[in-house]
Amino acid sequence: MQPFNIETNNLNIHGLKVGSGNEIVIALHGWLDNCHSFMPMLNNVNPKHTWYCIDFVGHGLSSWRSDDAHYYFIDYIDDVYQLINALGVKKVHLVGHSMGAMVAGLFASCFSDYVKSVTFIEGIGCVTTPSEGVCEQLKSAVLNRARLKNKKSRIYKSKELIYEARAQTTDLNSELITLLMQRNIKQVLDGFALTTDPKLKNHSGFRFDEAQCIGAIKDLIAPCQLILGNEGYSFVKQNLAKYISYYNSLKVINVDGGHHCHMQSSEHCFEHIQDFMLQNGAC
């Protein structure tokens, strides 16, 4: 397991590299997580591919966007595009969890020549807003930015208090919370603070509507599989029912666990992902 740092768009994308195979996997984590999300799957295994597990910009150890910039979903597509080109590879496998799954899907729709396969974990399609709700969405985002602009970052007296706060919003056990959150924490003068950019919690100013989401899915040529946790988010299952008929090729697998099933059923998830990539890799 090797740390890496790649500069793109004047931003540093940090992450962990695992394996030494000829084919490349880009692993994309969920909102407010980081590359440690994939470590339970990759610890103590011998991957047949080379995995680049990144911290999205604004997360983990990666750079924050500038003070005058915000975190638009579509900008993550550009970040992945720049990363792949910086690596100098022609085609990759994409593995994405939650928000990362949605990024992987839209990237594969836009840049099909770059993608051999896509594995979604507890995420599919897009978060959408009906076309008649565009103005309300934008208004909400602007007002939320104003509220958060002068809000000071919270300082915690101990790491354990951060772990306890995360435990209120997840079904992960304490060991997995510690593994995930230790990369999102930095020591400061008066205690500990999160390394995630507070602006990540701003409301999105723009979202696709369902017709645009369907249009993007129809352009997704690469073979896809979706891994669902038996106790995962109902939102993901609703999106699956809504969009499954528009996918060119989609395999659906159920495993034990919740929204972070790749951390909870890590061995089974890794086997499913590696087998799928081997089936859809180099001839």
Side-chain angles (χ1 to χ4, degrees):
M1 193 176 300
Q2 301 173 327
F4 69 84
N5 172 25
I6 296 174
E7 184 175 347
T8 66
N9 292 333
N10 297 316
L11 297 166
N12 290 305
I13 295 180
H14 287 258
L16 293 170
K17 177 183 175 183
V18 182
S20 58
N22 292 328
E23 295 190 30
I24 303 299
V25 184
I26 307 296
L28 308 171
H29 62 77
W31 181 62
L32 299 183
D33 288 349
N34 56 68
C35 69
H36 278 191
S37 172
F38 297 100
M39 291 307 102
M41 289 201 308
L42 297 173
N43 282 329
N44 304 315
V45 297
N46 183 26
K48 298 184 186 301
H49 306 79
T50 299
W51 287 63
Y52 285 88
C53 305
I54 74 166
D55 293 337
F56 273 123
V57 173
H59 297 73
L61 303 183
S62 290
S63 300
W64 293 6
R65 300 204 191 278
S66 61
D67 288 343
D68 61 342
H70 294 277
Y71 289 88
Y72 292 102
F73 177 75
I74 56 174
D75 286 333
Y76 291 126
I77 311 302
D78 186 25
D79 292 337
V80 174
Y81 175 80
Q82 298 294 338
L83 172 70
I84 292 173
N85 281 302
L87 291 173
V89 294
K90 293 182 179 180
K91 281 207 170 189
V92 301
H93 300 274
L94 296 175
V95 176
H97 169 244
S98 194
M99 181 188 79
M102 297 181 185
V103 172
L106 187 55
F107 179 89
S109 295
C110 294
F111 297 99
S112 59
D113 290 347
Y114 282 61
V115 181
K116 290 187 176 184
S117 75
V118 185
T119 294
F120 307 118
I121 305 170
E122 275 287 304
I124 193 167
C126 297
V127 178
T128 60
T129 294
S131 56
E132 61 270 20
V134 167
C135 289
E136 187 59 35
Q137 181 74 27
L138 180 56
K139 176 183 176 181
S140 176
V142 171
L143 293 176
N144 185 251
R145 288 179 188 177
R147 282 193 293 269
L148 293 180
K149 186 174 182 180
N150 298 316
K151 187 176 180 180
K152 293 183 179 179
S153 296
R154 181 176 174 182
I155 305 300
Y156 296 82
K157 293 299 183 183
S158 69
K159 291 182 180 181
E160 286 68 30
L161 290 174
I162 297 178
Y163 302 151
E164 290 173 9
R166 184 60 190 259
Q168 302 304 311
T169 62
T170 184
D171 60 355
L172 293 175
N173 63 32
S174 59
E175 180 182 355
L176 292 176
I177 289 172
T178 300
L179 171 66
L180 186 62
M181 292 305 294
Q182 64 187 3
R183 193 171 174 91
N184 278 352
I185 297 173
K186 62 181 178 182
Q187 188 163 9
V188 294
L189 183 62
D190 297 324
F192 299 89
L194 294 172
T195 63
T196 46
D197 190 340
K199 287 192 297 182
L200 289 166
K201 293 188 176 181
N202 284 345
H203 296 173
S204 176
F206 169 81
R207 288 179 182 154
F208 295 117
D209 62 23
E210 282 191 17
Q212 291 170 317
C213 181
I214 290 168
I217 291 169
K218 288 181 177 179
D219 283 339
L220 207 172
I221 299 171
C224 302
Q225 73 169 344
L226 168 64
I227 298 177
L228 293 172
N230 290 336
E231 299 178 6
Y233 284 179
S234 59
F235 163 76
V236 181
K237 295 178 176 65
Q238 291 165 5
N239 264 13
L240 174 61
K242 188 184 300 182
Y243 299 123
I244 187 171
S245 63
Y246 301 106
Y247 282 89
N248 176 56
S249 172
L250 180 64
K251 178 181 180 182
V252 181
I253 295 166
N254 288 274
V255 299
D256 291 337
H259 188 56
H260 288 78
C261 58
H262 61 308
M263 300 183 75
Q264 296 160 321
S265 292
S266 55
E267 183 177 343
H268 287 153
C269 285
F270 177 76
E271 290 173 355
H272 286 303
I273 294 169
Q274 180 155 273
D275 287 348
F276 187 72
M277 293 190 299
L278 290 172
Q279 293 168 12
N280 296 285
C283 298

